[in-house]
Amino acid sequence: MRNAREVFDDHLSCADLGDVETDIRRNFSPECLLITSEGVFRGHNGIRQAARLLDSHLPEVVFEYTSRVVEGEMAFLEWTGKSAEAAVHDGADTFIVRDGKICAMTAHYTITKKQ
């Protein structure tokens, strides 16, 4: 069974590739919970919905991971993202990984539209 660091690293690799379906299949529990300022998202369909929402704000995003911390079953990520239309400068996510899958996550980011 994969530990939190392995799941976390695989999640980030899938995000870099834009491969939401592989990410969901390999890294998220079917009962996962994601809480954001946009609302609460549940299960694999909730993760898909949240990913579509982020993609609608940042199409063809390029991520930069500025801080990664893993301790036990928890992981923390600070990130930025840039696309032709907008940017995020304050992304911060937390993850709880149990039984080799992300079971809970929070995500915060502010979209800044390019002028």
Side-chain angles (χ1 to χ4, degrees):
M1 182 173 308
R2 297 178 309 152
N3 63 34
R5 177 164 304 282
E6 292 167 323
V7 172
F8 183 56
D9 288 346
D10 192 43
H11 166 66
L12 297 181
S13 293
C14 289
D16 284 339
L17 296 172
D19 192 347
V20 174
E21 288 305 314
T22 298
D23 190 21
I24 289 170
R25 185 178 66 255
R26 288 199 309 224
N27 299 313
F28 284 87
S29 164
E31 297 81 28
C32 62
L33 176 68
L34 168 58
I35 299 174
T36 77
S37 58
E38 299 280 348
V40 176
F41 301 88
R42 291 183 170 81
H44 286 177
N45 284 335
I47 298 299
R48 283 184 192 95
Q49 182 182 4
R52 282 192 303 269
L53 182 61
L54 180 58
D55 187 58
S56 73
H57 294 301
L58 291 169
E60 298 181 22
V61 64
V62 175
F63 292 110
E64 180 181 342
Y65 306 121
T66 57
S67 177
R68 302 178 202 198
V69 180
V70 179
E71 181 64 33
E73 66 180 15
M74 293 191 69
F76 175 73
L77 174 69
E78 289 179 303
W79 57 274
T80 64
K82 294 179 184 172
S83 75
E85 299 175 14
V88 169
H89 301 286
D90 65 347
D93 301 349
T94 57
F95 305 81
I96 298 175
V97 178
R98 292 194 180 126
D99 300 323
K101 301 279 186 177
I102 298 166
C103 65
M105 180 180 170
T106 65
H108 164 78
Y109 56 87
T110 305
I111 302 292
T112 304
K113 296 283 184 186
K114 292 188 178 176
Q115 307 231 3

